[in-house]
């Protein structure tokens, strides 16, 4: 069983470890690296290397596991989006690379579905791109995309986030954009697992695809994976560290982080994902079972639905709903009381429709019992008073 007093480093800093029932969210620490990734980082830390050579070799591993022509380790999917935009606008022209985010003389528009707007798309703008929105939350027509593409269009973006609906299928965007000579850039930060997604969007024709390295892949939290067309990866690399003139220079990736990400990625590809998914599901079942019989509280298991292409449904979750007759604390109060407890438990809302989600992907063995016990305590104390 874990200790939550905080040992060693965290204790010295006075930082309290928390139980993460929230998912691979950045503010809760992303993921816990497996031992082989930590070992690779330690090994990488002992020698100097030529960073260009290290980037190239790491890129070859990414290309192999994604089926893309080329790859690059980034400082997260957010940095990947910045480099996607920079690559599509400036290419490998050193004058243009230097000029970003000033995009004079460049194609600088990125077409994006209104249903795909997420806070992270500010990374496209950070490179100097202007976003051109199409569609609405209910539907998007192919002609809207075609009409939005002009001689100024640098790329068409496709974001797999929490699914809002109403976007064209990726295949349609690829077809329409490619007919007009426009590359398609995909943000699939939180879409791993399922592992099939490593190759899926490239197979669908996307020109650049970006994933987080510190979410489901369980690499260093500040890493990401960019893969795609050889010329565009070359352009992304030119806009990135170690090139000190690139707009991506502040998103530097260390040799240790490159090593940790590549080791984690190789492990991820070799993982028995069915067994992992089954253990996640059984933690959720435990929680649902433990909350049975509380009046006006409905706990249910949400099965994994990877086909939905929603960043929340790649794995099972336990959802807790407080029904209309409920008189106890609100969902927000339950969430904040869990955070204030000992050990603190971090989790979040299930979605816009309400409910609390217990996400099992970062629960260590046995933590489901702590989470279920605390939830039961909070939900029974108040409702009986
Ligand atoms: C997490 C996330 C990002 C950012 O990824 P980082 O690897 O943390 O930089 C971008 N887009 C979406 C949809 C995400 O969920």
């Amino acid at each position: 069983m874990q200790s939550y007093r905080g040992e060693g480093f965290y204790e010295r800093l006075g930082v309290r470890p928390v139980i993460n029932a929230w998912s691979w969210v950045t503010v809760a620490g992303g993921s816990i690296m497996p031992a082989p990734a930590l070992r690779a980082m330690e090994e990488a830390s002992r020698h100097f290397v030529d960073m260009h050579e290290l980037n190239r070799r790491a890129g070859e591993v990414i290309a192999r596991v994604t089926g893309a022509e080329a790859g690059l380790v980034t400082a997260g999917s957010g940095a990947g989006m910045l480099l996607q935009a920079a690559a599509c606008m400036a290419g490998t022209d050193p004058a243009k690379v230097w000029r970003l985010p000033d995009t004079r003389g460049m194609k600088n528009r990125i077409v994006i579905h209104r249903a795909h707007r997420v806070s992270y798309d500010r990374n496209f703008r950070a490179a100097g791109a202007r976003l051109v929105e199409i569609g609405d939350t209910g539907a998007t027509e192919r002609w809207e995309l075609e009409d939005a593409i002009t001689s100024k269009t640098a790329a068409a973006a496709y974001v797999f986030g929490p699914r809002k609906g109403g976007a064209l299928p990726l295949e349609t965007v690829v077809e329409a954009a490619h007919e007009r000579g426009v590359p398609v850039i995909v943000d699939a930060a939180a879409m791993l697992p399922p592992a099939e997604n490593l190759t899926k969007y490239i197979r669908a024709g996307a020109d650049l695809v970006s994933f987080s390295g510190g979410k489901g892949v369980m690499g260093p939290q500040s890493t990401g994976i960019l893969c795609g067309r050889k010329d565009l990866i070359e352009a992304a690399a030119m806009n990135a560290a170690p090139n000190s003139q690139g707009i991506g220079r502040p998103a530097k990736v260390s040799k240790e982080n490159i090593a940790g990400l590549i080791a984690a990625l190789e492990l991820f590809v070799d993982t028995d994902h069915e067994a992992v998914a089954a253990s996640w599901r059984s933690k959720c079942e435990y929680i649902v079972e433990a909350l049975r019989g509380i009046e006006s509280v409905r706990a249910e298991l949400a099965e994994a639905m990877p086909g939905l292409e929603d960043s929340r449904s790649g794995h099972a979750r336990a959802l807790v709903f407080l029904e209309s007759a409920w008189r106890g604390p609100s969902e927000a109060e339950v969430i904040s009381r869990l955070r204030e407890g000992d050990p603190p438990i971090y989790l979040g809302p299930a979605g816009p429709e309400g409910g609390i989600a217990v996400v099992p992907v970062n629960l260590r063995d046995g933590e489901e019992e702590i989470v279920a016990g605390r939830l039961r305590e909070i939900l029974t104390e108040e409702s009986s008073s």
Side-chain angles (χ1 to χ4, degrees):
M1 184 57 51
Q2 302 287 325
S3 157
Y4 299 97
R5 284 194 325 280
E7 299 135 287
F9 176 73
Y10 287 136
E11 185 169 39
R12 270 192 284 126
L13 252 65
V15 173
R16 204 151 63 130
V18 309
I19 291 180
N20 181 354
W22 201 0
S23 187
W24 294 295
V25 292
T26 296
V27 293
S31 54
I32 296 282
M33 266 187 275
L38 285 165
R39 213 157 41 234
M41 292 180 80
E42 210 263 321
E43 286 165 12
S45 75
R46 291 188 216 137
H47 299 281
F48 294 102
V49 289
D50 180 325
M51 292 301 289
H52 292 294
E53 185 187 359
L54 177 58
N55 269 325
R56 256 197 322 276
R57 293 281 181 241
E60 285 166 15
V61 175
I62 291 175
R64 180 157 46 74
V65 303
T66 59
E69 288 174 12
L72 180 70
V73 180
T74 66
S77 205
M81 296 165 90
L82 173 84
L83 294 176
Q84 287 176 335
C88 292
M89 292 188 297
T92 54
D93 178 336
K96 290 181 176 168
V97 168
W98 175 237
R99 200 177 304 147
L100 290 181
D102 175 349
T103 58
R104 264 176 304 157
M106 305 178 210
K107 297 180 177 190
N108 67 350
R109 306 290 207 277
I110 293 181
V111 180
I112 187 168
H113 285 87
R114 213 164 254 118
H116 283 179
R117 293 301 308 273
V118 287
S119 52
Y120 302 103
D121 61 39
R122 69 114 46 247
N123 296 300
F124 294 142
R125 290 189 292 115
R130 295 241 309 265
L131 298 180
V132 177
E133 290 188 351
I134 55 166
D136 56 45
T137 52
T140 310
E141 303 295 333
R142 179 175 169 145
W143 61 257
E144 292 180 84
L145 169 61
E146 293 172 344
D147 186 54
I149 293 175
T150 68
S151 60
K152 295 292 280 176
T153 306
Y158 206 90
V159 178
F160 290 102
R163 191 161 187 269
K164 292 177 205 133
L168 294 164
L170 175 60
E171 288 74 6
T172 306
V173 172
V174 166
E175 200 180 281
H178 285 183
E179 271 173 19
R180 287 155 185 79
V182 168
V184 176
I185 56 180
V186 173
D187 171 36
M191 299 304 287
L192 300 173
E196 302 87 87
N197 288 349
L198 269 175
T199 54
K200 186 174 181 177
Y201 312 125
I202 289 292
R203 254 185 293 121
D207 298 272
L208 282 175
V209 181
S210 179
F211 300 100
S212 287
K215 292 182 179 171
V217 178
M218 299 198 292
Q221 195 187 356
S222 57
T223 60
I225 298 162
L226 187 62
C227 61
R229 246 166 60 190
K230 193 163 183 296
D231 60 323
L232 288 174
I233 289 289
E234 218 169 280
M238 179 129 175
N239 283 278
N243 179 9
S244 60
Q245 295 174 335
I247 186 132
R249 172 60 181 77
K252 175 163 75 175
V253 192
S254 69
K255 58 191 184 304
E256 295 82 5
N257 273 349
I258 293 173
L261 182 272
I262 294 299
L265 181 58
E266 287 177 323
L267 202 64
F268 179 80
V269 172
D270 274 346
T271 295
D272 178 354
H273 289 283
E274 268 179 43
V276 174
S279 93
W280 288 342
R281 191 179 183 285
S282 96
K283 287 186 168 101
C284 294
E285 277 177 336
Y286 179 92
I287 288 161
V288 167
E289 206 48 50
L291 299 180
R292 218 177 271 293
I294 307 175
E295 209 173 319
S296 306
V297 172
R298 182 165 46 88
E300 56 187 53
L301 180 100
E303 298 284 357
M305 288 205 276
L308 256 193
E309 305 285 19
D310 176 325
S311 61
R312 292 168 306 187
S313 58
H315 42 74
R317 287 150 298 150
L319 304 181
V320 183
F321 297 98
L322 307 177
E323 295 182 322
S324 55
W326 173 253
R327 292 295 170 262
S330 68
E331 284 170 8
E333 281 162 355
V334 172
I335 290 172
S336 78
R337 286 190 53 186
L338 287 167
R339 277 184 185 223
E340 287 153 13
D342 180 26
I345 296 170
Y346 278 40
L347 45 62
E353 324 77 28
I356 298 166
V358 182
V359 178
V361 300
N362 274 327
L363 289 179
R364 269 80 69 84
D365 289 345
E367 289 183 335
E368 72 279 15
E369 295 171 30
I370 303 177
V371 174
R374 288 276 299 291
L375 266 170
R376 193 167 175 97
E377 203 177 286
I378 293 169
L379 295 173
T380 50
E381 246 170 39
E382 303 283 337
S383 63
S384 61
S385 64

